[in-house]
Amino acid sequence: MKVVLDHLTKRFPNRTKGEPDVIAVNDFTFEIPDGKLIGLLGPSGCGKSTCLNLISGLEKPTSGRVWFGDTDVTELEPENRGVGLVFQNYALYPHLTVRQNIMFPLQNLKGADKLTKEEMLRRSDEAAKMVQIENLKDRKPAQMSGGQQQRVAIARALVKMPRVLLLDEPLSNLDARLRLQTREEIRRIQRETGITTIFVTHDQEEAMSISDEIVVMKLGVLQQIGKPQEVYNDPVNLFVAQFLGTPAINTFTGEVINEKIYIGEEAVLPAPGVPNQNVWVGIRPEGFVLDENGPFTLDLTRVEIMGRDTSVVATHPFAQSPSVRAIISSENEVDADAARIRFSLKPKKVFIFEAESELRIRF
Amino acid sequence: MKNSKLKGWLYLLPAIIFLGIFMVYPLVDVFVYAFQEGFNFASQTYKGVGWFNFDYVLRDPYFLQAVKNTFILVIITVPVSTGLALLISLGLNSIKPLKNLFQTVYFLPYVTNTLAVGLVFMILFKKTAYTDGLVNLIINWFGSESIDFIDGPYWAKMFVMCFYTVWVVMPFKILILTSALASVKQDYYNAAKIDGTSKGRIFRRITLPMISPMIFYLVITGFIGAFKAYSDEVAIFGTDLNVAGMNTIVGYVYDMLYGDSGGYPSYASAAALILFVIVLTITVINLMVSRKNVHY
């Protein structure tokens, strides 16, 4: 089922009287292709969850429409939209067993959709099997780990075969190891069922690793949509560049003079066709190349060797963060006692942004 | 280890002393009196030991009347007040405007003096030389005869009694239930909504189980409170409850101790012990029922 958001806006009245409304979602327009896994990504408070609630129908938009395929579902109540929603804290009914929890949505069906007891059991067993919790069916949620509860919540959302599956921060309550495992699991389940899935996260790594496409948001405004690697390689503005990637991109204040990018006194890279102006310079950690005669000089702080990679931590007076991190192959030998270190830069890993608007300047 | 144990006991000592003097000792005393035949306070003498006091009390028509009254009161007021409180709490929980005002209004009876409330009920129900009371005016308006609710037929008096009790005990139940309802996480309702759960089913399968511990608590304390009813009866029918035929078990105990025909601590103790056994039985039954139906 294709999901289309058409100029979707949601305003909340401000809690303090007289203050302007809070715009949680501002004029959202995008299309989610059928059967894809989409990550809604942004820092907390950027309107991701509101966006999800608008799709599920728990919130009604102030303006704009939501389409599922060719059906306008904007005015439909949640139960008539055919969505499955997995809540951040799972919202499993604590007094019901796993099986009862999974069967709950099926028992709600009325009239022609009403299922026989056997059919309900069969489908709940199927859903339980899908998320690999067949052996836990008689437990109560409190007797299970967070990861298991998560699976039950997914099974409960899947059992009624929704047209769209929504996941609200599905991994945030899990520990690091379980998180890796569960995100693969979500990916697998999504592939197997082919259900259009939208999940919300503030963790860019999570979104990048399993999404077909990511949607980056900031303060209710859509920033960029695209395949994870495309967005990473070609950010439209400073925010997107900074938000994606671990370690984060290194940002410097710089200047373009005579089609050359200057950071401080050093001309680090040519920028053909760019007029003279102040800019933000973003350099991905993997964009540094160790080069004795390189144009870019940093004050070396320390060297961290982590197997495959070597992480060079340095400082620079024009850097926006206290330390600059460069990642180079550990085949390079770095003199850890040196006071300064010189790099040349990979042009594809260096982005410049307008100083005021923070929009990308392509060169 | 030993030292810390000693310390623990030392901390407990003040409480133990007070509880011992004012609770344990009187309890033991009641038990002893109940089995002493014809115990006399003034002379501190008794004629014999045995079941005589229980025998007497259980044959006393006043006591039997008191037991009957108490049971009717309990059986009617506990379910009615809990049910009504639940309805009102659900209502309060689902409205936004004026919620606080209504909550205050519903809570007012709780902070109002029993006797003052009794006075208001007198005005509502009592027949005097000048007026038949507000309720009778309404009954007359519908074309029926006046009913004497305070000195009239038994059912009328019992109605006033139950009405009064329900009204007095409800605020506390509403308070507890509204906070219990408010503590059910919105996510559960959202999840149910997404799954297209009907209102009735949400109430039966989600809300009710979630607040069942609180309902159970209210039922148990409701039973115990209703079995101990006394002051409310006095507030409406005056101190001579036996004459009014509206005495309760606790009222009977009081009358046996201090009433006009009182001075029988042995009978009073026996009656008190019988009440204790009744309350204990009911509470144990409650616990057994709840173990099946109350979740977590």
Side-chain angles (χ1 to χ4, degrees):
Chain A
M1 187 62 54
K2 184 174 77 174
V3 176
V4 180
L5 307 186
D6 180 16
H7 295 285
L8 205 60
T9 299
K10 177 69 183 178
R11 293 163 181 274
F12 291 107
N14 203 308
R15 278 177 194 231
T16 348
K17 273 198 183 137
E19 296 283 314
D21 289 355
V22 178
I23 306 174
V25 172
N26 194 351
D27 200 28
F28 251 54
T29 301
F30 66 89
E31 189 180 314
I32 297 161
D34 185 25
K36 293 289 186 198
L37 179 62
I38 301 295
L40 270 183
L41 179 62
S44 4
C46 75
K48 312 179 290 273
S49 292
T50 308
C51 187
L52 207 67
N53 286 342
L54 290 172
I55 299 172
S56 72
L58 286 173
E59 306 258 13
K60 291 269 179 280
T62 314
S63 63
R65 322 293 305 169
V66 181
W67 298 77
F68 284 5
D70 297 327
T71 329
D72 182 351
V73 297
T74 317
E75 301 303 326
L76 282 185
E77 289 300 315
E79 63 261 34
N80 300 325
R81 293 192 181 193
V83 294
L85 178 55
V86 176
F87 290 82
Q88 186 169 0
N89 56 9
Y90 318 137
L92 296 176
Y93 308 121
H95 53 286
L96 301 181
T97 62
V98 167
R99 186 199 286 273
Q100 288 169 325
N101 261 293
I102 297 176
M103 271 183 16
F104 198 89
L106 298 179
Q107 290 163 339
N108 289 328
L109 298 173
K110 276 193 263 317
D113 300 330
K114 206 171 160 83
L115 300 173
T116 60
K117 189 109 205 247
E118 290 75 45
E119 178 68 6
M120 283 193 221
L121 284 173
R122 193 186 63 72
R123 281 182 50 180
S124 68
D125 282 354
E126 210 170 80
K129 204 168 169 194
M130 170 91 69
V131 297
Q132 297 166 352
I133 45 161
E134 305 102 301
N135 51 342
L136 303 171
K137 274 180 295 208
D138 295 316
R139 293 221 193 149
K140 294 259 176 90
Q143 298 164 324
M144 297 191 297
S145 71
Q148 291 168 331
Q149 292 185 30
Q150 168 73 279
R151 285 154 186 266
V152 178
I154 294 174
R156 186 177 65 179
L158 285 175
V159 74
K160 54 180 182 174
M161 301 181 189
R163 300 193 285 179
V164 178
L165 179 64
L166 307 169
L167 304 151
D168 190 359
E169 298 267 4
L171 308 176
S172 64
N173 285 355
L174 303 177
D175 64 57
R177 180 193 284 266
L178 212 48
R179 203 173 294 174
L180 280 175
Q181 203 183 331
T182 312
R183 78 184 189 200
E184 294 309 319
E185 199 79 335
I186 291 174
R187 181 77 208 156
R188 175 183 66 79
I189 293 165
Q190 196 272 331
R191 284 258 164 79
E192 275 177 30
T193 56
I195 295 174
T196 309
T197 304
I198 303 163
F199 81 102
V200 154
T201 178
H202 61 268
D203 183 344
Q204 52 91 21
E205 203 184 319
E206 199 174 297
M208 305 241 321
S209 61
I210 61 170
S211 312
D212 292 317
E213 279 189 28
I214 56 172
V215 178
V216 186
M217 297 177 65
K218 179 197 178 188
L219 296 172
V221 181
L222 195 145
Q223 306 288 313
Q224 194 170 0
I225 309 176
K227 293 209 168 72
Q229 202 56 39
E230 284 173 12
V231 178
Y232 180 80
N233 287 337
D234 193 13
V236 295
N237 60 29
L238 182 60
F239 172 80
V240 175
Q242 284 178 329
F243 197 70
L244 296 185
T246 32
I249 196 166
N250 301 294
T251 315
F252 304 86
T253 49
E255 209 175 339
V256 175
I257 303 167
N258 296 331
E259 303 195 336
K260 283 198 177 99
I261 303 169
Y262 280 85
I263 298 175
E265 298 293 310
E266 293 171 322
V268 294
L269 211 66
V274 181
N276 291 355
Q277 59 184 308
N278 288 326
V279 291
W280 298 102
V281 184
I283 306 172
R284 293 274 182 217
E286 67 272 25
F288 293 89
V289 180
L290 202 60
D291 182 351
E292 276 176 26
N293 307 312
F296 193 31
T297 316
L298 295 165
D299 299 318
L300 185 62
T301 311
R302 66 177 185 276
V303 178
E304 296 167 1
I305 300 171
M306 296 171 294
R308 191 164 44 92
D309 296 325
T310 297
S311 180
V312 177
V313 184
T315 58
H316 192 279
F318 289 87
Q320 287 303 293
S321 54
S323 66
V324 175
R325 197 172 274 268
I327 293 183
I328 52 177
S329 165
S330 50
E331 285 159 20
N332 296 293
E333 296 223 347
V334 184
D335 177 10
D337 298 325
R340 326 205 76 193
I341 187 165
R342 292 175 78 91
F343 292 104
S344 57
L345 302 174
K346 298 179 190 166
K348 282 195 165 175
K349 295 292 179 183
V350 179
F351 312 119
I352 54 175
F353 306 92
E354 283 176 20
E356 290 294 316
S357 66
E358 301 187 347
L359 287 176
R360 174 90 176 277
I361 305 168
R362 291 168 202 276
F363 59 93
Chain B
M1 186 60 205
K2 212 179 163 201
N3 202 14
S4 75
K5 246 186 196 167
L6 204 70
K7 244 189 196 167
W9 282 110
L10 198 66
Y11 293 145
L12 285 174
L13 202 58
I16 288 177
I17 289 174
F18 272 93
L19 287 175
I21 293 175
F22 295 106
M23 280 200 59
V24 179
Y25 171 68
L27 278 176
V28 172
D29 242 15
V30 166
F31 203 75
V32 171
Y33 289 158
F35 288 94
Q36 289 176 341
E37 196 181 327
F39 177 78
N40 186 309
F41 254 133
S43 59
Q44 295 280 317
T45 57
Y46 56 94
K47 291 181 230 151
V49 175
W51 294 92
F52 172 81
N53 298 320
F54 294 94
D55 195 49
Y56 175 87
V57 166
L58 286 172
R59 285 165 199 270
D60 186 347
Y62 281 140
F63 182 74
L64 297 178
Q65 181 65 39
V67 170
K68 183 182 160 198
N69 291 340
T70 309
F71 266 87
I72 292 175
L73 198 66
V74 167
I75 287 163
I76 292 177
T77 63
V78 174
V80 168
S81 64
T82 313
L84 275 178
L86 187 57
L87 278 180
I88 292 172
S89 311
L90 284 170
L92 278 174
N93 207 42
S94 60
I95 58 166
K96 276 243 160 67
L98 300 181
K99 183 176 179 171
N100 286 336
L101 175 74
F102 279 116
Q103 251 168 356
T104 312
V105 169
Y106 281 115
F107 197 62
L108 272 181
Y110 191 69
V111 289
T112 313
N113 188 301
T114 310
L115 296 176
V117 179
L119 200 68
V120 174
F121 269 70
M122 291 273 245
I123 294 166
L124 283 176
F125 287 104
K126 197 173 171 70
K127 252 181 154 172
T128 63
Y130 313 103
T131 169
D132 283 359
L134 192 64
V135 174
N136 270 325
L137 285 180
I138 296 168
I139 290 175
N140 292 341
W141 191 74
F142 279 106
S144 298
E145 289 279 301
S146 290
I147 299 158
D148 192 339
F149 283 100
I150 306 295
D151 295 315
Y154 179 69
W155 67 265
K157 287 191 278 195
M158 196 38 108
F159 170 77
V160 174
M161 201 55 256
C162 291
F163 189 75
Y164 181 93
T165 308
V166 167
W167 194 73
V168 166
V169 297
M170 230 162 35
F172 180 67
K173 300 191 177 194
I174 293 174
L175 181 80
I176 296 287
L177 288 177
T178 38
S179 52
L181 284 173
S183 67
V184 179
K185 280 204 214 97
Q186 185 61 34
D187 275 353
Y188 295 126
Y189 294 126
N190 283 347
K193 211 167 149 194
I194 293 270
D195 294 337
T197 319
S198 64
K199 280 230 167 84
R201 201 166 128 81
I202 287 180
F203 179 70
R204 270 181 294 114
R205 296 295 305 276
I206 299 172
T207 311
L208 216 48
M210 293 273 188
I211 62 170
S212 59
M214 277 303 147
I215 292 180
F216 170 66
Y217 163 75
L218 289 179
V219 168
I220 285 218
T221 52
F223 268 115
I224 294 172
F227 271 116
K228 296 202 296 188
Y230 172 53
S231 60
D232 299 344
E233 282 66 16
V234 173
I236 298 182
F237 301 107
T239 47
D240 213 346
L241 290 172
N242 277 337
V243 173
M246 292 307 294
N247 212 350
T248 60
I249 302 179
V250 173
Y252 179 86
V253 171
Y254 181 87
D255 287 346
M256 273 300 169
L257 282 173
Y258 309 110
D260 294 338
S261 56
Y264 301 102
S266 301
Y267 296 150
S269 302
L273 277 187
I274 291 169
L275 176 62
F276 169 72
V277 170
I278 294 171
V279 172
L280 186 70
T281 314
I282 300 280
T283 308
V284 167
I285 292 171
N286 263 329
L287 277 171
M288 275 168 13
V289 172
S290 76
R291 203 153 291 163
K292 275 201 162 168
N293 297 308
V294 172
H295 302 277
Y296 53 4

